[in-house]
Amino acid sequence: MKVDEIVYFKQLSEEEILTHEFLGKSNGEFLEQHTNHVIQNFIEFLKQYPDKLSDIEKELIFLACKYHDYGKVNTQFQKYMKTKKKPLKWLQHGFFSSCFINKKYFLEKYGQKKGKEYYSALVTAIFYHHTRECPYLIPLCNDFEEDFETYVKENGQKFIKEEMRNNLNLISLLFHYPSYGTVSQPSLETWILYSKIKGMLNRCDYAASAKENTIEEEILENGKSIADLVLEHYSTLRKSQQFALNHQKENIVLIAPTGSGKTEAALLWIGKEKGFYTLPLKVASTAIYHRIKDEKGYNYSKTSLLHSDALDLLIDASEKQQTDNTITNIYEDYQRMKRLSYPLTICTIDQIFKFPFKSLGQEQFLATLSYSKVVIDEIQMYSSRILACLLVGLSMLVKAGGKFMIITATFPELFAHLLKKVVGEENYLIENCAIEDTLLRHKISFQKGNFDYEKIMESAKNKKILVICNSISVAIMVYKELKKLNSDLTKGLLHSHFIKKDRNLLEKQILKFEENGIWVTSPIVEASLDIDFDELHTEMCSADSLLQRFGRCYRKRTYEKENPNIYIYETGNAYIYDGEIYKRSIEKLIPYQGKLLSEYDKICYLNEVYCLSEIKDTKYYKEINQDIQMMRDIYPMKYKKEEVDDLFREISNVSIIPDSILIENDLEIQSCINTINQTEDFEKKLLAKKELLKYTLSIRYHYGNKKEFQEISGTDLYRLKGYYDSELGFIEGEEKFEDRNF
């Protein structure tokens, strides 16, 4: 940050001095102290990232940091701070903080049009800086001016030089709750400006409340970035990796086959910048997190994991390494992860890309991504709605100043068309490195009907066999059938409905599996675990998922035998896939029967399935375009945060404890719950919660009737009727599995 900018902002912050008369926090901190802390956090950010914001963005964010809590001078808030008794009429301070912004200043400095835009973006960001509904925006409500005069004006006058008056007309806000009536839709540029102001204000404010002196950790570790650490591991780079390294300043789409070092290519592209690495599944993000952070990987400790298991993983790592880190310190690290403070964050797409829905509370993600680099891994795995949200989000990201990289093994013509349509082909480079891969790894056999159990068992005598089923129920059934034939060769079953302590063990076992035998799984292994089997038997699925499954077999080896190593069965169990795409996936696969496939063949196959001219009249294509248009037309605050979460339920889950687990472990579980709710010892609370989570598993909301989920008192968990078995997992609704004794 330039010296004159630092001086300028410090002078602005000292224009009005808040006396110690006004309390700002329940811990006794004065308003002046907190405000200065928030401002200082923003100044520290500008020192780290001096060129990521425009001059007007810097000024508006600074003013938001300065004025955001001025509404706390209201007499009702100050009375509550001193007596801890909530008044009958509670005033949300953010609404009245906006009254301290002088519109005249902006009109005189920037002119009528721009001045009004900047003023509206600023007051809206302050007004909504806490995600709370405003009673003053109900039609015909005239209480705003009256409450200002009664509760705010007298104290406000103590640090405003001119006569204190309400400078905010509610109609000046960029948007209102729909119930307030119609106002013009803010332009995308204005929405992005508002998001940057509010998002950066929130981050500086949250950090100050946590007594942190920065919102961003330093990127370099011992003078090295993640890209430097990757380069130390490689004497030569593959074409895809070199392309990523050479184009760090551009948005890129990189197509590279499974097993070609795509993760390293993404890390090289991130370079010395702040980065987010997104994946479709939580288990995949956990695997990448360990690969980057652990000593056996790249040992880049400035890596965070943004999902519900992150705290558990931090505690486990500390215990394993026998560090002196206390639980309290570990929890503080976890909170910094949630505040997006780490240089590199590994996460799923739903955690950072909900901002296109324009619901309150998501602005900090767009604000942070505006100066970051975002990797989208395996974009083809998302549904039409999430794909639409992602594409619109990328277009907003580009306009906000951020960078993106799409890295995928498969990128059909349809996806290329949609990206061009929504983001604009002038905004990115595309490079296909898959066609350069001459490694021949897969020969397929396709047949209608159920799995050939005899064939699977015969192969398992001298090979590692992977069986992938389209659903958990089918995976359990297939496992049981194979177990009946030969229990010694049927080694394991893996799907998402195992409680955490069992699933962690199963994942470790399949990763280390080197003997002959069979593992049966659900689609969970498609893009998550780095496994390499000798032979794959899979149910037919959509073309993109099918090619992902190929990557779990002969991952980095040339296949030179005459018999196939990929066996595909059209069982009819395909309800989770789009019907038209599934049908086309079968039709276009037939010509490749018995052929040793090159990476170019796979690209051709995928493009044939998703051929734009052939599917443009399908329901699938129309739904994607409808979803894109819906995302573009969303009005601010049309959706509340909870409603947006529901729209993402296909990758967002609810945590449950199966009834049978709850009954069998009643004493242990209740002990954990009692500790969480009754003890004052913070560390004991966290350890009890960690222990409690070992008995949980995640279930998608559409799996089962929401009414059947019963809250477990004293927790944020649910119980669900069903039987659990440590070998087979959980099935909803059943009291026990049939034929368990094979």
Side-chain angles (χ1 to χ4, degrees):
M1 183 178 179
K2 299 173 185 176
V3 174
D4 57 341
E5 284 183 337
I6 298 175
V7 173
Y8 169 68
F9 284 126
K10 284 188 174 180
Q11 286 175 342
L12 278 181
S13 66
E14 293 168 358
E15 280 182 1
E16 293 127 10
I17 302 298
L18 300 179
T19 70
H20 284 344
E21 179 180 350
F22 300 111
L23 290 168
K25 292 288 182 179
S26 57
N27 62 6
E29 186 177 27
F30 289 101
L31 183 56
E32 179 184 8
Q33 294 171 305
H34 175 69
T35 300
N36 287 340
H37 196 163
V38 176
I39 290 171
Q40 190 57 43
N41 280 347
F42 181 56
I43 291 175
E44 289 301 315
F45 168 81
L46 291 177
K47 291 178 182 178
Q48 290 176 271
Y49 295 90
D51 303 318
K52 296 296 185 179
L53 297 170
S54 67
D55 290 342
I56 185 59
E57 287 170 346
K58 292 176 183 177
E59 181 176 9
L60 292 173
I61 294 168
F62 169 80
L63 292 174
C65 291
K66 178 180 177 181
Y67 286 104
H68 76 286
D69 273 355
Y70 272 31
K72 287 182 177 180
V73 303
N74 79 75
T75 56
Q76 298 295 76
F77 183 88
Q78 291 301 312
K79 184 183 296 184
Y80 172 70
M81 286 290 101
K82 294 170 184 177
T83 66
K84 304 305 179 187
K85 295 180 181 180
K86 196 167 185 178
L88 292 177
K89 183 148 192 175
W90 179 252
L91 307 182
Q92 298 293 354
H93 64 272
F95 306 147
F96 291 100
S97 296
S98 301
C99 299
F100 289 79
I101 305 297
N102 193 337
K103 185 176 182 179
K104 182 180 178 182
Y105 164 80
F106 291 94
L107 298 179
E108 290 179 349
K109 185 173 182 178
Y110 297 105
Q112 284 290 323
K113 185 177 180 179
K114 282 296 180 183
K116 182 179 178 181
E117 176 191 350
Y118 298 154
Y119 170 76
S120 295
L122 175 60
V123 295
T124 306
I126 294 175
F127 193 88
Y128 289 122
H129 81 269
H130 289 297
T131 307
R132 294 164 180 160
E133 292 194 23
C134 179
Y136 301 116
L137 293 178
I138 298 173
L140 305 180
C141 177
N142 298 313
D143 292 349
F144 187 67
E145 187 66 37
E146 180 181 336
D147 285 347
F148 173 83
E149 292 286 333
T150 304
Y151 302 111
V152 182
K153 184 174 181 178
E154 182 179 353
N155 282 344
Q157 189 67 65
K158 293 180 180 180
F159 55 90
I160 293 294
K161 296 175 184 178
E162 57 197 40
E163 181 185 355
M164 181 62 185
R165 53 193 173 84
N166 179 8
N167 282 320
L168 177 67
N169 186 330
L170 292 177
I171 203 66
S172 297
L173 298 172
L174 288 175
F175 50 84
H176 307 119
Y177 285 93
S179 61
Y180 187 66
T182 58
V183 292
S184 59
Q185 169 82 292
S187 68
L188 181 57
E189 289 72 20
T190 303
W191 172 262
I192 290 173
L193 176 61
Y194 151 80
S195 294
K196 285 187 176 184
I197 300 169
K198 181 174 183 282
M200 291 300 295
L201 165 61
N202 286 153
R203 292 197 61 206
C204 292
D205 190 16
Y206 297 157
S209 296
K211 305 302 180 185
E212 296 284 344
N213 295 319
T214 180
I215 66 170
E216 292 291 352
E217 300 289 330
E218 290 293 333
I219 288 175
L220 299 183
E221 183 169 33
N222 298 321
K224 296 178 181 179
S225 68
I226 182 59
D228 295 327
L229 296 172
V230 171
L231 288 171
E232 287 180 357
H233 277 66
Y234 286 83
S235 56
T236 58
L237 296 179
R238 297 183 179 184
K239 181 180 178 182
S240 58
Q241 296 166 341
Q242 190 64 57
F243 179 83
L245 183 63
N246 292 344
H247 295 86
Q248 290 178 327
K249 296 182 179 179
E250 286 93 17
N251 301 313
I252 62 175
V253 178
L254 184 59
I255 307 164
T258 300
S260 63
K262 291 187 299 174
T263 301
E264 285 70 24
L267 298 176
L268 289 169
W269 175 77
I270 290 173
K272 291 180 171 62
E273 302 286 334
K274 184 178 178 68
F276 289 82
Y277 195 119
T278 73
L279 297 112
L281 301 170
K282 188 168 76 170
V283 64
S285 64
T286 302
I288 293 292
Y289 168 77
H290 284 303
R291 184 172 168 186
I292 296 171
K293 185 170 183 176
D294 292 355
E295 289 183 7
K296 293 181 180 179
Y298 294 110
N299 199 24
Y300 185 62
S301 67
K302 293 176 176 287
T303 308
S304 72
L305 185 63
L306 201 62
H307 69 54
S308 57
D309 293 340
L311 181 57
D312 285 355
L313 291 169
L314 289 174
I315 295 174
D316 286 343
S318 180
E319 292 174 348
K320 185 177 180 180
Q321 297 165 9
Q322 298 181 335
T323 66
D324 295 330
N325 220 357
T326 66
I327 299 298
T328 301
N329 290 338
I330 292 171
Y331 184 75
E332 289 174 354
D333 286 342
Y334 172 63
Q335 291 300 319
R336 279 191 284 274
M337 289 182 177
K338 292 174 67 175
R339 291 196 297 269
L340 312 179
S341 298
Y342 275 72
L344 180 59
T345 298
I346 315 299
C347 56
T348 52
I349 206 74
D350 61 302
Q351 294 170 310
I352 63 170
F353 260 91
K354 293 177 183 174
F355 62 82
F357 282 96
K358 297 180 180 176
S359 64
L360 293 182
Q362 297 297 320
E363 298 90 348
Q364 64 172 320
F365 296 102
L366 180 56
T368 305
L369 296 184
S370 73
Y371 60 88
S372 304
K373 302 176 85 171
V374 185
V375 176
I376 311 296
D377 199 345
E378 305 300 352
I379 191 174
Q380 78 288 342
M381 291 191 67
Y382 299 109
S383 70
S384 60
R385 172 162 292 172
I386 294 180
L387 176 62
C389 179
L390 182 53
L391 290 173
V392 172
L394 289 177
S395 69
M396 296 171 70
L397 175 69
V398 170
K399 288 182 172 62
K403 298 291 182 184
F404 73 84
M405 173 187 193
I406 295 173
I407 185 161
T408 179
T410 55
F411 196 68
E413 178 189 358
L414 170 63
F415 283 59
H417 164 74
L418 293 172
L419 187 66
K420 177 181 177 181
K421 174 182 176 181
V422 179
V423 178
E425 63 180 336
E426 71 280 4
N427 290 316
Y428 59 88
L429 302 176
I430 187 166
E431 179 75 4
N432 191 340
C433 296
I435 57 177
E436 304 295 327
D437 193 330
T438 58
L439 197 64
L440 300 175
R441 300 178 292 148
H442 303 125
K443 181 182 285 190
I444 69 168
S445 169
F446 174 80
Q447 66 184 63
K448 288 186 177 291
N450 293 325
F451 286 102
D452 187 340
Y453 295 113
E454 296 292 341
K455 165 63 182 169
I456 294 172
M457 196 57 67
E458 184 63 29
S459 295
K461 292 178 182 178
N462 52 26
K463 295 177 185 175
K464 292 167 53 181
I465 308 299
L466 178 64
V467 179
I468 303 180
C469 305
N470 292 342
S471 65
I472 292 172
S473 59
V474 171
I476 292 172
M477 180 196 72
V478 170
Y479 176 81
K480 290 167 68 176
E481 290 298 320
L482 290 168
K483 194 84 171 177
K484 288 177 183 178
L485 289 176
N486 191 319
S487 60
D488 291 335
L489 285 176
T490 307
K491 300 295 184 179
L493 170 68
L494 176 63
H495 53 70
S496 61
H497 288 176
F498 284 96
I499 60 174
K500 285 187 178 180
K501 64 177 182 177
D502 291 338
R503 179 166 163 180
N504 290 341
L505 180 62
L506 289 167
E507 288 178 359
K508 290 177 182 177
Q509 289 174 349
I510 196 172
L511 284 168
K512 295 179 180 179
F513 184 61
E514 293 296 339
E515 57 189 297
N516 297 330
I518 306 163
W519 271 82
V520 181
T521 77
S522 68
I524 194 174
V525 299
E526 281 180 18
S528 56
L529 301 176
D530 189 3
I531 54 178
D532 185 10
F533 281 73
D534 300 323
E535 191 170 290
L536 170 67
H537 292 255
T538 176
E539 285 191 276
M540 183 63 197
C541 52
S542 62
D544 45 293
S545 291
L546 188 64
L547 294 183
Q548 285 293 125
R549 295 180 186 187
F550 284 11
R552 309 304 121 186
C553 174
Y554 264 74
R555 193 168 174 83
K556 300 177 182 179
R557 298 175 284 165
T558 299
Y559 191 68
E560 298 175 335
K561 299 178 182 179
E562 291 192 11
N563 293 330
N565 62 346
I566 306 283
Y567 292 86
I568 305 163
Y569 303 85
E570 207 288 280
T571 63
N573 176 38
Y575 66 93
I576 63 173
Y577 301 103
D578 178 86
E580 292 164 309
I581 296 301
Y582 179 77
K583 182 180 178 181
R584 290 181 60 81
S585 297
I586 294 174
E587 291 174 354
K588 304 300 181 181
L589 183 66
I590 302 300
Y592 295 96
Q593 174 84 294
K595 182 178 180 181
L596 191 58
L597 300 179
S598 67
E599 292 305 312
Y600 179 73
D601 290 328
K602 295 172 188 175
I603 292 171
C604 291
Y605 167 57
L606 199 66
N607 282 332
E608 289 162 6
V609 172
Y610 288 97
C611 176
L612 185 60
S613 61
E614 294 181 12
I615 68 169
K616 63 181 181 180
D617 294 325
T618 63
K619 179 183 177 183
Y620 173 80
Y621 180 74
K622 291 176 181 178
E623 283 182 350
I624 290 179
N625 280 281
Q626 288 170 0
D627 286 334
I628 289 172
Q629 193 58 49
M630 180 270 289
M631 294 302 307
R632 284 173 161 172
D633 293 341
I634 284 178
Y635 187 81
M637 291 196 298
K638 179 179 179 179
Y639 297 103
K640 295 181 181 179
K641 179 183 181 299
E642 296 76 16
E643 294 173 316
V644 176
D645 290 341
D646 283 339
L647 293 170
F648 273 80
R649 282 300 176 196
E650 63 188 84
I651 54 177
S652 295
N653 301 313
V654 59
S655 293
I656 68 129
I657 299 179
D659 262 2
S660 61
I661 290 291
L662 203 57
I663 294 168
E664 291 172 11
N665 302 276
D666 178 58
L667 293 178
E668 294 90 340
I669 290 173
Q670 194 56 53
S671 175
C672 291
I673 294 173
N674 290 341
T675 301
I676 292 168
N677 292 316
Q678 296 174 12
T679 185
E680 297 297 323
D681 190 309
F682 179 70
E683 295 193 3
K684 286 182 179 179
K685 279 180 181 286
L686 285 182
L687 291 174
K689 186 168 186 179
K690 179 178 180 294
E691 186 66 24
L692 178 63
L693 292 177
K694 291 180 180 179
Y695 299 101
T696 66
L697 59 93
S698 294
I699 284 187
R700 295 178 181 179
Y701 250 44
H702 70 250
Y703 180 88
N705 191 322
K706 188 175 179 180
K707 294 179 181 178
E708 295 177 1
F709 289 86
Q710 299 177 29
E711 286 190 49
I712 299 176
S713 179
T715 75
D716 55 358
L717 306 173
Y718 297 83
R719 64 185 295 174
L720 188 62
K721 183 179 178 181
Y723 185 82
Y724 182 83
D725 182 285
S726 60
E727 183 179 7
L728 300 176
F730 173 71
I731 288 186
E732 180 193 354
E734 292 195 10
E735 294 183 4
K736 63 179 181 179
F737 289 119
E738 295 179 3
D739 191 25
R740 291 181 59 224
N741 299 314
F742 14 80

